[in-house]
Structures are given as structure tokens and as C-alpha cells.
Amino acid sequence: MEGHSVYVPKSGFTKWLEARLPIISLTHSSAVAYPVPRNLNYFWTFGAILTMMLVVQIVTGVVLAMHYVPNAKLAFASVEAIMRDVNFGWLLRYMHANGASMFFIAVYIHIFRGMYYGSYKAPREVLWILGVIIFLLMMATAFMGYVLPWGQMSFWGATVITNLFSAFDEIIPGVGTWIVTLLWGGFAVDNPTLNRFFALHYLLPFMLAGVVGLHIWALHHVGQNNPTGVEVKNICKDTVPFTPYATVKDAVGVVFFLILFAWFLFYIPNFMGHADNYIEANPSVTPAHIVPEWYFLPFYAILRAIPSKLGGVLAMFSAVLILAFLPWLDTSKVRSGNYRPVFRVFFWLFVAACVVLGWLGAKPAEGGYTLAAQILTVFYFSYFLIILPLLGLFETPRQLPGSIAEAVLAKKAKRAAPADASVNG
Amino acid sequence: MKLTKLLTAGVFTVVLGALSAPAQASEAGPTPPSVNWSFSGPFGKFDPQQLQRGFKVYREVCAACHSLKYVTFRNLAEPGGPLFTAGQVKALAAEYKVQDGPNDAGEMFERPGRPADHWPSPFPNDNAAAAANGGKAPPDLSLMAKARTYERGFPTFVFDMFTQFAEQGPDYIHALLTGYVEKPKDFNLPDGGTYNKYFPGHVIAMPKPINDGQVDYKGPDGKPQAPETVDQYAKDVAAFLMWTAEPKMEARKALGFRAIIFLILLAGLTYFAKKRIWKKLPDPA
Amino acid sequence: MAETVPSAEPTRRDFLLIATGAVGAVGAAAVAWPFIAQMQPDAATIAAGAPVEVDLTPVAEGQILKLFWRGKLIFVRHRTKAEIESAAKVDVASLRDPQPDSARVKEGHAQWLVVYGNCTHLGCVPLGHQGAYEGWFCPCHGSVFDTSGRIRQGPAPTNLPIPPYTFVSDSKITIG
């Protein structure tokens, strides 16, 4: 997108550098002059929060890898050595463990924000699909990272999740077993599994960072969506330069998010974890309830809702992959949920269904819980496959503002009318 | 607009209802009573006297069967712990024999313990521990206070985020040690098991480990420093095990307080800086 | 394109913005510290450096015993009369790192030389009984040490350092 200003090198050195590697002008056009819709709310700061969390995870992870030992006999003890003996080791490990949860909290808010404001619609389909790929990579990274402490949940989580692939035996006999053995590097989850999960857990975040680069590139090419869903028409009137307006607003979001992070990290660092993972892995005893980390629970509930092994596995993978098709499943011409009264109701029902599915994922798979999970699974898929396609055809949207500038002025007038309130961004 | 708000509110009511209803029908045994721990909450600290008593209980009672393999002698003198002196720890370590080697002749040998040594385990390995204890190895206790929990249920677990409740482990340990009560008449107890009110399934392999008056709490003045009761022993050893599980807890909470104060200050500054900058933005017209 | 939205760069430096930036920078620096501190030796490594006892009886005259303390190599050399003499008669003033032999051994135990076993140049292990002075010769870059472990030729700047040790009895020392 065309920016608010153009960088012109002035000194001899910057002119010399600009002719060889235009890195300053690239930084200027993407982080200073880049036009940002002036009506973004704080939900739009989650992109910056997620970038920060990725950096936190990579930095703490690299540092932890200096002390961690990826060996089935030593892994658990090495984590305890980090917690007890390494200088600030407890801080670094709790940062990394709680950081993963914070990362997922932020990514879920980011995804739901995109779904509510229709940020996946043309021309942002590729941007959205890159986001789905990031989400998948995050899930793979988090899963393998959870295996590394080699506690009971690590071991049994790894066993259960890798065994999912054996379901493919029902399609072509032998293929599923072959994949599972390939993942394990043995005939059960054991040292080779731990070792390769460590290698991949170290590798994937850098691939993730690469896809994040593409995600931001795509974003800067098409420009940000905004709460009205109306495209930018006039850069001068509808947008502000990224710096200082968006940078300082992102900084506010980041700092407030850090307070939440610090609360968990320093005061309830094991709230998001499982007690069983403080017991060293034991292949002869399975914990009473095998439960994945909270961020996988909705998908885990969908897996268990389907009574067939293959069906459950396919439903779980589909539940994630269906997101990639969202740009074409939503047929409405209007982007923002603010102007779609019926959509809004279904959207919040969908959010609620995800939360309840998450809660059901942590409950034993029996009786009423399973029935509830089945009903909500049906609703989950209907939302994408029936509700959104039909809603676009039948719903009467509210009148859209003519432009972002118009919406901003209308909001301001409305706010000024009852009382002389101070101007707010 | 009003309709959607009403509907949204309705959705949330339904969700909350769905979440809380089955939680009341809890499947596990009775909930361990909440003990008033000195180390709970944002400013909680371990009571060194209590940790020393708890250590005494562990050493005289639990250590016969349970290892404490992630704890070293030197830990006992570190800040945020039982605060034994370096001299006491050195003397204590020297009371134990630790295997070392091989020496120049290629043989393993025993030497007196040093502060850097780990707490010696009662059995050479898990199989030996299991063989000596009716087929089930007594678990290591180093992390027990973080490795045991109980269901908090909805909505308690949500409140726990705000109240910073994180003492399920010591609550459970205390409850377990005081939970050796008479079994209900109709309860069918298998051979080799003992009835415990709080153990999941109520059948525990460990017989009642401790009785009133078993551990001497007498101080230098000849008077007990704390009640010599099972309840007090259970509290003290649970507190001690919380420390062995989370030896850096005091450092963590202290740093956390400074971090949060700093972040609130920074958040305020950033927020007003943002307002200042955006105020200068003229209207789009 | 012309800038219609004025840049928010304040004409007069705004105290609030400067304060925010400064506090943010302090926070970033504070966060950096644990990431640096974690590279220092951990508590277990520091605690593991307990003193070691060495029995000297099996070390025959002319032999060099190698052992480790705190992960560092140590030579315990049982020197012959000739070796002690050649070390003692050197003109101390002519040495690169002037130290009399008597300062490098314990009084009354001149036959025992205890030194760290890594060359002071770049840390290689010198070979015993080699080089022009029959002390040590470092194969990496050619430093030559005498029978007192003092640097005589080559790039090493100082003598082989002496670890802290004491004689418990005539045939037993404690290192550390």
C-alpha cells in the first residue's frame, strides 16, 4: 500500500547503503509510513502481542536448550536442575511454559477477531490461510514442546496423539502403523521419540517465524481490515501513519498483556499445567485422566465426540483445516459483524460452543459429557458449512458507513452529544 | 441492537449454567480441607521453623521408604528454605554414607556425604523399592506437593486465578496423612490395603505412617515448639514438601511483586503517552 | 504524496513520552539480565567443587600424577633430586615470570610440585618430561616449562599456576 511519506536518504552513508541494500526505506515504508485505518480498536494490537510472544518463546527456548538434556533418562532431572540450580532457571522455564499458554490466548483472540470482522474476505484470503498455517505450526510446536519435560502427561500425551495416526490403518491397512513407527523411531514412545521431538521443537519456531514474515508481508500488501469492514478509500482521511499512532497503541496492548503474563508467571505458574507432569514418565502406569494442554481441549473434545477412531481423527483435523476454507464459506458481501445482526448472534454462539467444547475436553468421556460434545461438534461444523453460507444469502445487513472517516466522525459526534467528553483515539 | 445484546447475554447464561451444573456432581472423594498456609498468596513466605520441623518428620518417618532425590544437603541452608546453617548442613551430610567412585583401582567406595550431595535414597533403585514394599515402590517426595492435586470444579477454578490459590498439593498431603480413619462398614478393603478418606479410591498401599507424639518437637528449653499431633506433623511435612517442590518460591513471588508494580507503572505511562499522541491527530475532514 | 496528517513528532520534547521511553528501556535492560546470568555456572557446579584428598604414596619418584579438581586438570609431580636442583639454581631475575622454586612448593616438601595442567598460553595440556628443561613441553604452540612449571620459552606468558592445597600428612594432600 502507498504510504504516508517516502524515505529520502540524506547523509552520504545512508545514500550509499540505500543504493546497495534499501533496508532503511523498507523499514520506513513498513513500520513508519505504512497507513493504518484510524478506527482500529485494541483487538488489532494482538498482532503485535503475538509477535512479541513469538520472540519471548524463541529467546527463552534457546536459553533453556543450553541446560536441557533431550535424553529419556536425563530429561526430567535436567528440567529439575533448571528449576533448582540454574541462575534464574525457574524464571526462564516458567516464562517458556506459561508463554506457550499466553501465545495461545493471544492467537485465539486474534483468530476470533478476524472471524468477527470478516478479515478473511477478499482480498485477504492468502493472509488468512497463512494465519491458519501459523496456527497449525504453533500446535505442532506446542505439542512437541510439552513432551520434552518427560513427565507422565508428556509421555502419555505423546503416546495418545501419535497413536492418532494409526487410524489411517482403516483406510489403507499398514499405513497408519507405518507412520506411527516412523514418528516413534521405535516400537513405543521412547528415547528416539524424545530426541527427534526436541530437534523439531527447536526447528519449527523458526519456520513459524518465516511464515509470520509472509503473513505480515501479505498484510502490508492488502492493508488492514478495520471494525467497519469498509476498505480504505482515501489514505489521508481514512488512515494514520503506523508510527507513532499504531506503534504506541500496540505498545499499550503489549504492556497490558505483559501484566496478565506476569500474573501467571510469578504467582500461579502451574495453573495452566498438569500435576501429573511433575511425575517422571512411567510407561507402565497411565494417569487417571489423560488431558492435553488447555489450548487443545476443544479439538480433543471433537476427537472424542465421534465414536469411530478414524472418524474422530478426521473430525479433529477437519475442525482446524476448515478454517482455511472460511473465505469461501462465508457468502456475505459485508465484512464486519458490526453490520450483520444475525451473524453476530451465531458468532457468539460459536465462541460459546468453543469454550464449552474446551471444558468438555477436560472432562471424562462418558454419558452426558459425550452427548454434549456431540451436539456441539455438529454445531461447530454447521457454523462453517450451513450457517455462514446461508446467512450471507438471507441476512439483511445494516447500512454501512460511506468511509472509515465518516464512521469516525459519526462516532465522535455521538460521543460529543450527551456530554463534552474528551477526545479519545 | 437491544435484541442482540439480550441474545448474547442469554448465550452466556446458558454457557455458565452448562459449565456449573455437572461440576456439582463431583465424582472424586471428599475435598481436602483448606489449610491456612504461611506461603499462600502474593506475599506468602515459608516459615523456616515449620520447614525445620517438617524436615525432622520427613527424616525420622518418611525417609525410611521415600526418596527425596532432587534435593541436595546444601539446599537446606539456601535462602527461602529451612535456613539451617552451613555448619549444620555440613555435619548433617557427614552423617550419611554416599557412594562415590570408581577409584584408581576401579572400585566404587563409600565416603561421608558433602553438602553438594543429593539426599541419599533408601533403596538403590525402583525395583528394590518395590520388592521391599509389597510390589509398589514408594514414590519420590521431592515434587509431591506439585504432583498431586484435586478437582477444584467450576467456578472455583476461575476464582483461583484471581485469589492465586496454588496450594492443592500441600492441602492434599495434609489431608492424606490425617485421612487414616475407620473404614465405613460396607467398604470392601482388599488385602494389603489401608482405608484412607482422601486417597483416590480410598485404598492406599501405605499403612498409617505417623501417630501422635511420634516425633519429638522439644526445643532447647525442653518444651515442645509445636503440638506433637498428627495434624501438626502433617502440616509441617506438607509445608516442607512444598518447599522441596518449589524451592525458589520466595524469590519468584518477590520478583513478581516488583515486576507487576513496574508493569503497572509502565502501562500507565504508555497509556497516557498514547492518549497524548492521538490527541494531536486532527479530524479526518 | 503530500503529508496531510501531520506527524505527531512533538516540536517540544514531551516529558511524558521521554519518561515512557526511558522506563520502557529500563524494563528491557532488567529483562535482559536473567538471560545473561543463566550462562554463569549454576549452583550445582559451584557446590561440586569440594576439596579432594590425594594419597601420594603410589607416586614414585620421577612420576607425574594427573587428577581433576573442579573439572580442571592438575599435575602432581614427584621430582627427582636432579630436577629439584636444576629448578633451584636458575637465576630468578632472568625469568619471564620471576618466581623462585621455593615459592612454588610447600616448605619441607620440595619433592612435590602441584600445578594446574593447562598451558597458560591457550589451555592445551603440556607433555611431561619433555622440552629443553625436562619439565613440560606444550605441543600446541611450543611453550617450554621447567621442572618447577615455570615458563622458559615459547608464547605462554606466565608459569603454570598452583592450585590451593595443603599437606595433611607427609604422604597426603588436600586440594581445594
Side-chain angles (χ1 to χ4, degrees):
Chain A
M1 266 188 123
E2 199 175 353
H4 276 272
S5 59
V6 175
Y7 172 72
V8 182
K10 291 194 181 78
S11 77
F13 172 73
T14 48
K15 275 181 193 152
W16 180 86
L17 184 65
E18 192 63 19
R20 284 153 182 84
L21 177 73
I23 192 165
I24 306 177
S25 58
L26 177 71
T27 311
H28 181 87
S29 64
S30 51
V32 179
Y34 171 68
V36 179
R38 56 193 298 155
N39 59 338
L40 298 187
N41 57 36
Y42 274 103
F43 285 109
W44 263 267
T45 62
F46 278 87
I49 289 168
L50 285 162
T51 310
M52 172 197 66
M53 285 317 301
L54 179 60
V55 172
V56 167
Q57 290 305 86
I58 288 181
V59 172
T60 52
V62 166
V63 159
L64 286 169
M66 295 180 189
H67 305 281
Y68 171 77
V69 184
N71 175 295
K73 287 204 167 61
L74 304 169
F76 191 83
S78 77
V79 172
E80 276 312 305
I82 290 171
M83 293 296 286
R84 289 157 196 270
D85 291 333
V86 173
N87 300 298
F88 292 103
W90 58 270
L91 177 67
L92 301 168
R93 182 189 164 229
Y94 277 153
M95 246 190 218
H96 198 68
N98 284 281
S101 281
M102 294 298 135
F103 207 160
F104 274 96
I105 289 176
V107 91
Y108 280 129
I109 294 175
H110 193 66
I111 292 171
F112 280 129
R113 192 270 291 147
M115 289 175 74
Y116 180 80
Y117 291 109
S119 300
Y120 45 80
K121 293 187 190 180
R124 297 186 180 82
E125 303 96 317
V126 172
L127 172 62
W128 174 261
I129 290 169
L130 287 167
V132 176
I133 294 171
I134 290 172
F135 182 46
L136 280 169
L137 283 172
M138 272 178 72
M139 290 168 86
T141 310
F143 162 65
M144 288 193 249
Y146 196 61
V147 174
L148 303 186
W150 211 239
Q152 275 287 67
M153 273 303 179
S154 301
F155 182 88
W156 291 102
T159 302
V160 167
I161 300 300
T162 48
N163 265 320
L164 290 179
F165 292 92
S166 67
F168 293 113
D169 276 345
E170 291 175 34
I171 304 174
I172 310 170
V175 168
T177 314
W178 186 82
I179 296 174
V180 173
T181 312
L182 188 79
L183 291 172
W184 287 344
F187 304 103
V189 173
D190 207 339
N191 194 53
T193 325
L194 174 63
N195 222 320
R196 67 192 53 189
F197 276 21
F198 175 67
L200 293 172
H201 181 71
Y202 205 120
L203 168 71
L204 286 185
F206 295 99
M207 293 174 65
L208 192 72
V211 184
V212 167
L214 295 178
H215 190 64
I216 294 174
W217 184 12
L219 173 77
H220 281 220
H221 182 69
V222 295
Q224 275 154 306
N225 185 29
N226 68 85
T228 64
V230 176
E231 282 292 306
V232 169
K233 290 183 177 139
N234 180 325
I235 286 185
C236 305
K237 287 183 176 174
D238 292 342
T239 72
V240 290
F242 190 84
T243 299
Y245 296 101
T247 14
V248 74
K249 195 163 181 169
D250 282 347
V252 174
V254 163
V255 177
F256 275 92
F257 192 79
L258 282 175
I259 295 178
L260 176 77
F261 187 8
W263 185 270
F264 278 88
L265 164 60
F266 289 111
Y267 292 121
I268 39 171
N270 294 306
F271 186 86
M272 304 283 200
H274 297 293
D276 281 305
N277 227 26
Y278 280 110
I279 305 169
E280 193 170 0
N282 180 351
S284 66
V285 182
T286 306
H289 295 301
I290 299 268
V291 181
E293 286 288 80
W294 68 267
Y295 36 79
F296 293 136
L297 288 173
F299 301 107
Y300 193 59
I302 290 174
L303 167 79
R304 298 191 308 181
I306 312 289
S308 114
K309 181 172 177 179
L310 180 65
V313 171
L314 292 179
M316 187 182 73
F317 286 128
S318 310
V320 183
L321 292 178
I322 201 166
L323 285 168
F325 299 94
L326 189 52
W328 297 279
L329 290 171
D330 183 352
T331 51
S332 174
K333 295 272 177 292
V334 176
R335 281 204 189 93
S336 169
N338 279 353
Y339 302 93
R340 300 182 62 190
V342 187
F343 163 83
R344 244 157 97 137
V345 176
F346 281 108
F347 171 81
W348 287 111
L349 279 171
F350 177 76
V351 174
C354 291
V355 172
V356 177
L357 273 172
W359 179 76
L360 290 169
K363 288 278 144 195
E366 56 196 29
Y369 296 130
T370 305
L371 181 67
Q374 284 166 344
I375 294 169
L376 290 172
T377 300
V378 170
F379 176 73
Y380 183 97
F381 286 104
S382 322
Y383 178 77
F384 291 102
L385 297 174
I386 301 168
I387 298 170
L388 285 185
L390 292 182
L391 215 53
L393 305 177
F394 297 110
E395 184 183 32
T396 319
R398 285 172 45 210
Q399 178 68 45
L400 286 173
S403 69
I404 294 172
E406 205 175 277
V408 169
L409 288 174
K411 198 175 170 188
K412 217 167 232 181
K414 203 172 158 192
R415 200 175 290 181
D420 191 26
S422 64
V423 182
N424 199 332
Chain B
M1 188 75 182
K2 260 193 187 143
L3 182 75
T4 34
K5 269 193 181 154
L6 267 175
L7 270 166
T8 316
V11 165
F12 277 104
T13 323
V14 169
V15 171
L16 289 183
L19 285 171
S20 55
Q24 279 147 16
S26 97
E27 68 267 13
T31 304
S34 260
V35 178
N36 189 15
W37 302 106
S38 70
F39 47 83
S40 65
F43 304 106
K45 278 185 162 43
F46 289 116
D47 169 8
Q49 294 307 312
Q50 182 175 41
L51 296 192
Q52 292 199 3
R53 292 196 304 271
F55 170 65
K56 195 163 195 274
V57 174
Y58 166 73
R59 197 181 165 203
E60 292 178 14
V61 182
C62 322
C65 302
H66 291 279
S67 58
L68 199 63
K69 59 185 174 188
Y70 297 111
V71 176
T72 59
F73 288 107
R74 68 184 155 82
N75 291 149
L76 294 165
E78 283 166 6
L83 300 182
F84 286 104
T85 63
Q88 282 173 313
V89 166
K90 213 171 170 184
L92 175 76
E95 288 176 34
Y96 289 83
K97 288 269 175 262
V98 174
Q99 197 184 53
D100 203 345
N103 61 14
D104 292 342
E107 279 154 11
M108 303 304 281
F109 59 93
E110 289 206 321
R111 57 161 175 80
R114 299 174 189 142
D117 289 323
H118 282 257
W119 189 265
S121 297
F123 301 102
N125 53 57
D126 275 359
N127 291 2
N133 286 282
K136 204 158 176 283
D140 183 79
L141 294 185
S142 318
L143 287 159
M144 199 45 93
K146 288 199 289 191
R148 292 292 183 275
T149 187
Y150 55 90
E151 186 97 8
R152 294 285 285 173
F154 180 86
T156 318
F157 85 89
V158 179
F159 301 149
D160 287 348
M161 270 187 252
F162 300 96
T163 59
Q164 302 183 353
F165 178 79
E167 284 78 38
Q168 290 101 315
D171 276 356
Y172 172 79
I173 293 169
H174 168 260
L176 182 93
L177 292 174
T178 54
Y180 286 89
V181 293
E182 201 61 36
K183 78 176 182 73
K185 283 214 173 57
D186 53 346
F187 190 85
N188 194 7
L189 196 67
D191 281 348
T194 309
Y195 183 82
N196 188 295
K197 193 176 158 191
Y198 295 102
F199 191 75
H202 301 300
V203 185
I204 187 167
M206 172 170 76
K208 187 173 197 285
I210 193 165
N211 294 299
D212 284 346
Q214 188 175 333
V215 178
D216 182 6
Y217 272 176
K218 280 190 194 66
D221 57 355
K223 286 186 198 138
Q225 309 284 295
E228 290 170 342
T229 60
V230 168
D231 180 64
Q232 187 63 38
Y233 294 150
K235 278 179 186 157
D236 293 349
V237 83
F240 172 71
L241 293 179
M242 187 68 227
W243 169 74
T244 62
E246 190 75 3
K248 306 289 179 181
M249 189 209 72
E250 286 190 15
R252 165 160 66 75
K253 289 183 177 176
L255 187 59
F257 180 69
R258 283 184 276 168
I260 296 234
I261 293 292
F262 173 84
L263 282 172
I264 289 174
L265 171 76
L266 183 61
L269 281 170
T270 318
Y271 179 71
F272 287 108
K274 184 253 165 195
K275 283 195 98 163
R276 174 77 50 94
I277 286 172
W278 279 76
K279 213 172 167 179
K280 295 196 168 94
L281 182 67
D283 282 346
Chain C
M1 115 167 279
E3 256 187 59
T4 42
V5 178
S7 156
E9 185 67 24
T11 45
R12 186 168 51 82
R13 275 289 169 193
D14 192 318
F15 173 73
L16 179 63
L17 301 187
I18 293 170
T20 309
V23 172
V26 168
V31 167
W33 175 242
F35 289 86
I36 297 164
Q38 56 85 21
M39 305 255 269
Q40 288 288 331
D42 67 20
T45 307
I46 293 167
V52 286
E53 267 193 1
V54 185
D55 182 12
L56 301 176
T57 15
V59 189
E61 204 176 56
Q63 273 191 340
I64 302 175
L65 174 73
K66 287 182 178 184
L67 61 108
F68 285 92
W69 177 65
R70 279 194 164 174
K72 293 195 78 163
L73 181 64
I74 286 174
F75 293 139
V76 178
R77 182 169 184 156
H78 193 167
R79 299 193 293 181
T80 61
K81 274 217 165 62
E83 286 171 344
I84 299 171
E85 273 166 26
S86 78
K89 69 177 186 213
V90 176
D91 174 19
V92 175
S94 70
L95 295 173
R96 184 179 302 167
D97 182 5
Q99 251 187 331
D101 187 55
S102 58
R104 297 181 54 80
V105 293
K106 302 281 177 197
E107 213 182 320
H109 301 286
Q111 72 273 36
W112 295 106
L113 177 73
V114 182
V115 289
Y116 278 117
N118 295 97
C119 181
T120 55
H121 180 220
L122 291 169
C124 297
V125 177
L127 306 168
H129 305 294
Q130 291 196 25
Y133 300 89
E134 295 283 302
W136 281 275
F137 170 74
C138 183
C140 289
H141 308 97
S143 290
V144 179
F145 299 89
D146 66 14
T147 52
S148 189
R150 291 173 298 199
I151 180 65
R152 300 298 286 271
Q153 288 169 8
T158 56
N159 302 335
L160 294 177
I162 296 167
Y165 72 99
T166 49
F167 274 87
V168 184
S169 70
D170 275 352
S171 61
K172 206 173 232 184
I173 58 169
T174 305
I175 298 176

